[in-house]
Amino acid sequence: MEFLIAIFIQPFVDMVDDPILFLQVIWEGFVTGILYSLIAFGFVLIFKASGVFNFAQGIMVVFAALTLVGLHEHGVPAFVALPMTILVMYALAFSVERLVLRSLVNQPDIILFMATIGITFFLIGLGESIFGGEPKVMIAEELFLPYGSITFFDDMLILQEIDIAASMIAAISLILLALFLGKTRIGIALRAVADDHQAALSVGVSLNTIWVVVWFISGIIALITGIMWGAKSDVSFALSIIALKALPVLILGGFTSVPGAIVGGLIIGVGEKIGEFYWGHLVGGSIEGWLAYMIALVFLFFRPQGLFGEKIIERV
């Protein structure tokens, strides 16, 4: 009985007894969740355009960040390295469409998925050969990212300025991307491709152009994410594992839903932090690494299409 009380009741008592600490945990979860949402947005874009889960999105985060840091290490100023990295991500998008996707049009989804796995290992090898495998320090100061802190309630609530900047940049990026999808001709064309490839082609929408645009935007998202995560820690290939946290986010929100990516990211981010802080020590600790996948697994039993995903009914 005491064990059950410790697991199910005591954490809630602790939240009430120390609301400032609870706010601190919520804030850290919010920052993590908004970055998860940004990563998930990249997955959603490519899934909407091709119907395939882009396994390479995680390594694209690493490759973009390594390119930025690597250029700076070779003497390129940050304000020049940033647009050069954007050009590199465009070159990557163009190469993926021209060398991989164009020859796989109308192939089964599993073939496209395997192609993204191949792109992943290619980028890992290319990144290691060019930049090496050692962790690198993000050039946060050169990009004018702050590193101070702001305190409230007599220094009991501490907000890191880099976390505030990361959440604001991620939120602004999500808003701009949502407006791009909903208000621009390219965004409308992308949604048409997502609904029906053949119908979109019949009205003059270029599938090849859409794929380049989508992969390029996903590359920009990967760059922003890599900068934010790299500023909070180091830039290394371990970031690709963090990026795969977008999978449970997509399961919660729906693979084709932009609002779902945002809501799912916040649920996972906040849920991880609360679970780790209040329940982690009761079950052996370090649950933050796997709790998101358990939440997603449980969620699949009740709403497999996600909170905002469309329920697919197939008649046979």
Side-chain angles (χ1 to χ4, degrees), residues 255-274:
F255 276 80
T256 61
S257 173
V258 173
I262 298 172
V263 174
L266 294 176
I267 291 175
I268 293 296
V270 174
E272 278 186 346
K273 295 299 181 182
I274 292 178

Side-chain angles (χ1 to χ4, degrees), residues 287-314:
I287 69 173
E288 191 173 351
W290 53 263
L291 182 60
Y293 300 98
M294 291 301 299
I295 294 174
L297 181 61
V298 172
F299 204 83
L300 283 172
F301 289 113
F302 301 100
R303 193 173 175 84
Q305 72 272 23
L307 288 171
F308 297 89
E310 297 179 359
K311 189 173 183 179
I312 299 175
I313 300 175
E314 295 184 357

Side-chain angles (χ1 to χ4, degrees), residues 70-125:
L71 287 171
H72 188 263
E73 287 181 346
H74 284 80
V76 180
F79 65 89
V80 178
L82 185 59
M84 288 180 65
T85 304
I86 293 175
L87 290 176
V88 169
M89 299 313 292
Y90 176 79
L92 175 63
F94 183 82
S95 300
V96 167
E97 189 280 324
R98 180 60 60 90
L99 301 176
V100 180
L101 300 179
R102 180 169 294 191
S103 60
L104 297 179
V105 174
N106 295 326
Q107 295 296 317
D109 291 345
I110 186 62
I111 294 179
L112 286 168
F113 174 68
M114 294 301 293
T116 66
I117 295 178
I119 294 170
T120 298
F121 286 102
F122 171 77
L123 290 178
I124 291 174

